[in-house]
């Protein structure tokens, strides 16, 4: 079993382990106060044909994309959650999953044919439900841990890495195969991974007793257990379904900018610079981002200048960086640093702690996702 130390800086999942000193920024599960519409000019709330969710019951959050036009949203009744589909352009909603319990997290695979739902039963038993695209439960996984994190394999949509969190800050790592309904222990020592090929995952190997904001980047072949050291000093690492990957590095802790270097099939390809928001700790700030692999566009929130993370209040620019063309466009400015999620078709960007806004990229319109 591996030790997991949770940091007070944890805010988003670039790393699920506080051994990794990346300031991580969470999937939108927070029930904190929503940002007001005044965070953006009122002119952005026009020009789109998107239809907000209209429901009499309280809406908890938009949990995931279902397809290019449809989202999955959570609602609450009698302290229990249910999962619903909503087509943003037809304005139609329907039930996707109803269970006696609480839905904690929803993660779709790369082609949106399967959905991993972390679920807490009325008996407070944590389960992982694997659903097909009709909302049918085809596999129930339980008794592995108290919480789960799923990393779907974009190269083989039937497989995933599962991190099962145990008591006392420990965790175990497994590979799951939906078609065979098989779970295999892979003994990985890190809880944050990224798929880099059909059988290989990348991870940062942190020294638990020597905290640092950088670590070597390794690859693990889950089929034969072989490891390979790829990079010596990396702050964070992300990989995407089109063979593109991204590393974050810095020459010195005194630099004002981090270097975000893109790799195409592991060969250096593009790079951009990011203002650093200094945490004055071993935790490194990483902006919220979302990648449209169909069009090669990297969406991220960029602070206007380098500063102190805890005192910076001058807003963020939403940038669309076309990796293939090596060009960028500023879309809008936001007051808050909040999560992003691009639609499978690349036309709508969800924005907010609970994905409470949808940004119509073609129309340049920001639309509330539901009516309170």
């Amino acid at each position: 079993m591996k030790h997991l130390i949770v940091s007070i800086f944890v805010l988003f999942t670039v790393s699920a382990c506080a051994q990794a000193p990346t300031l991580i920024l969470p999937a939108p599960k927070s029930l904190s106060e929503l940002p007001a519409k005044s965070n953006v000019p009122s002119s952005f709330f026009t020009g789109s044909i998107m239809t907000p969710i209209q429901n009499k019951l309280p809406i908890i959050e938009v949990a995931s994309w279902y397809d290019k036009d449809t989202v999955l949203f959570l609602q609450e009744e009698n302290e229990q959650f249910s999962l619903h589909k909503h087509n943003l352009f037809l304005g139609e909603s329907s039930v996707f999953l109803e269970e006696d319990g609480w839905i904690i997290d929803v993660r779709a695979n790369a082609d949106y044919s399967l959905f991993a739902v972390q679920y807490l039963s009325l008996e407070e038993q944590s389960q992982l439900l694997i659903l097909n695209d009709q909302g049918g439960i085809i596999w129930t996984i339980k008794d592995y841990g108290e919480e789960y994190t799923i990393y779907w394999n974009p190269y083989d949509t039937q497989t995933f890495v599962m991190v099962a969190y145990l008591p006392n800050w420990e965790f175990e790592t497994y590979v799951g195969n939906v078609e065979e309904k098989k779970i295999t222990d892979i003994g990985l020592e890190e809880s944050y991974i990224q798929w880099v090929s059909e059988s290989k995952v990348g991870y940062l190997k942190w020294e638990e007793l020597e905290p640092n904001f950088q670590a070597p980047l390794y690859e693990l072949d889950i089929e034969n257990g072989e490891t390979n050291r790829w990079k010596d000093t990396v702050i964070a690492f992300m990989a995407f379904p089109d063979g593109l990957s991204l590393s974050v590095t810095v020459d010195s802790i005194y630099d004002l900018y981090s270097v975000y270097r893109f790799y195409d099939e592991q060969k250096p390809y593009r790079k951009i610079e990011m203002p650093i928001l200094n945490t004055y700790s071993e935790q490194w700030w990483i902006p919220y981002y979302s990648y449209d692999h169909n069009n090669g566009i990297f969406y991220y929130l960029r602070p206007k200048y380098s500063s102190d993370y805890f005192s910076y209040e001058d807003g963020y620019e939403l940038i669309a960086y076309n990796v293939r063309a090596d060009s960028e466009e500023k879309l809008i400015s936001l007051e808050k640093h909040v999560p992003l999620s691009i639609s499978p078709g690349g036309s709508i960007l969800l924005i907010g702690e609970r994905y409470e806004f949808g940004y119509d990229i073609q129309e340049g319109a920001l639309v509330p996702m539901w009516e309170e």
Side-chain angles (χ1 to χ4, degrees):
M1 287 185 276
K2 325 302 185 305
H3 295 289
L4 178 68
I5 304 172
V6 176
S7 162
I8 60 171
F9 288 119
V10 171
L11 299 168
F12 168 74
T13 323
V14 167
S15 167
C17 177
Q19 297 164 355
T22 305
L23 179 59
I24 31 191
L25 313 169
K29 301 178 191 173
S30 171
L31 303 185
S32 59
E33 184 177 355
L34 295 178
K37 294 181 181 180
S38 59
N39 285 346
V40 293
S42 59
S43 60
F44 286 118
F45 291 92
T46 60
S48 176
I49 61 172
M50 286 194 295
T51 303
I53 302 166
Q54 297 183 5
N55 201 301
K56 295 181 180 179
L57 296 175
I59 295 174
I60 303 302
E61 66 179 19
V62 172
S64 169
W65 285 101
Y66 173 80
D67 61 25
K68 65 183 182 64
D69 298 328
T70 307
V71 295
L72 294 174
F73 70 92
L74 285 171
Q75 72 175 27
E76 180 184 9
E77 184 177 15
N78 298 326
E79 297 184 352
Q80 296 182 32
F81 292 174
S82 56
L83 194 59
H84 300 252
K85 296 189 298 183
H86 177 76
N87 188 297
L88 294 173
F89 299 98
L90 298 178
E92 298 174 351
S93 297
S94 59
V95 175
F96 186 67
L97 175 68
E98 282 187 317
E99 290 288 320
D100 293 332
W102 297 268
I103 296 170
I104 309 301
D105 188 33
V106 180
R107 301 203 181 193
N109 69 352
D111 64 1
Y112 296 86
S113 61
L114 296 171
F115 299 84
V117 176
Q118 186 176 164
Y119 163 77
L120 187 66
S121 70
L122 294 177
E123 293 76 28
E124 298 188 355
Q125 181 185 41
S126 182
Q127 301 177 10
L128 191 66
L129 309 178
I130 306 299
L131 278 59
N132 60 24
D133 59 3
Q134 300 302 307
I137 300 173
I138 60 176
W139 192 14
T140 299
I141 300 170
K142 57 184 178 180
D143 298 328
Y144 282 88
E146 295 184 341
E147 290 186 52
Y148 302 96
T149 297
I150 293 298
Y151 299 96
W152 285 104
N153 186 345
Y155 304 94
D156 178 0
T157 56
Q158 292 286 316
T159 64
F160 56 84
V161 164
M162 178 180 76
V163 181
Y165 297 99
L166 307 173
N168 303 320
W169 311 117
E170 297 173 336
F171 65 89
E172 295 284 1
T173 51
Y174 304 88
V175 170
N177 184 294
V178 178
E179 190 172 15
E180 299 177 0
K181 293 184 174 54
K182 180 181 179 181
I183 297 287
T184 304
D185 189 346
I186 56 173
L188 190 61
E189 296 180 354
E190 305 295 337
S191 61
Y192 170 75
I193 66 97
Q194 295 282 272
W195 288 93
V196 295
S197 72
E198 185 172 348
S199 65
K200 294 181 179 180
V201 296
Y203 63 95
L204 297 184
K205 189 173 182 178
W206 301 100
E207 292 294 336
E208 190 171 347
L209 301 179
E210 298 180 12
N212 198 346
F213 66 92
Q214 299 183 106
L217 174 61
Y218 281 79
E219 287 181 344
L220 167 69
D221 191 317
I222 61 174
E223 293 183 352
N224 58 31
E226 292 182 358
T227 60
N228 174 54
R229 184 164 173 151
W230 180 17
K231 299 290 180 184
D232 290 332
T233 52
V234 175
I235 296 171
F237 175 71
M238 308 87 164
F240 308 112
D242 60 353
L244 207 71
S245 58
L246 169 64
S247 69
V248 180
T249 60
V250 67
D251 292 331
S252 166
I253 60 174
Y254 304 105
D255 286 354
L256 296 178
Y257 293 86
S258 301
V259 176
Y260 285 58
R261 185 170 282 107
F262 292 87
Y263 301 87
D264 191 2
E265 301 296 342
Q266 300 192 358
K267 297 178 181 179
Y269 185 56
R270 305 286 192 213
K271 69 176 181 179
I272 57 177
E273 291 187 333
M274 183 76 64
I276 293 173
L277 295 184
N278 201 327
T279 66
Y280 300 101
S281 73
E282 289 149 3
Q283 300 289 319
W284 199 266
W285 180 83
I286 300 292
Y288 284 113
Y289 68 93
S290 188
Y291 181 64
D292 175 6
H293 67 270
N294 292 312
N295 298 300
I297 300 177
F298 182 72
Y299 295 92
Y300 67 98
L301 290 176
R302 183 171 64 195
K304 295 178 181 178
Y305 52 83
S306 300
S307 183
D308 173 7
Y309 169 75
F310 297 100
S311 63
Y312 179 78
E313 296 180 344
D314 285 342
Y316 300 82
E317 296 173 332
L318 175 58
I319 304 295
Y321 174 62
N322 189 317
V323 183
R324 303 301 179 186
D326 193 24
S327 62
E328 70 173 37
E329 178 183 359
K330 174 185 171 182
L331 301 180
I332 57 174
S333 293
L334 300 174
E335 288 185 5
K336 304 294 184 180
H337 184 235
V338 290
L340 309 173
S341 179
I342 190 66
S343 65
S347 62
I348 303 295
L349 186 68
L350 298 177
I351 300 175
E353 292 290 347
R354 301 192 293 168
Y355 292 147
E356 61 268 22
F357 296 107
Y359 181 74
D360 187 325
I361 293 172
Q362 182 175 356
E363 301 296 335
L366 193 65
V367 179
M369 291 298 293
W370 62 81
E371 297 179 356
E372 297 289 355

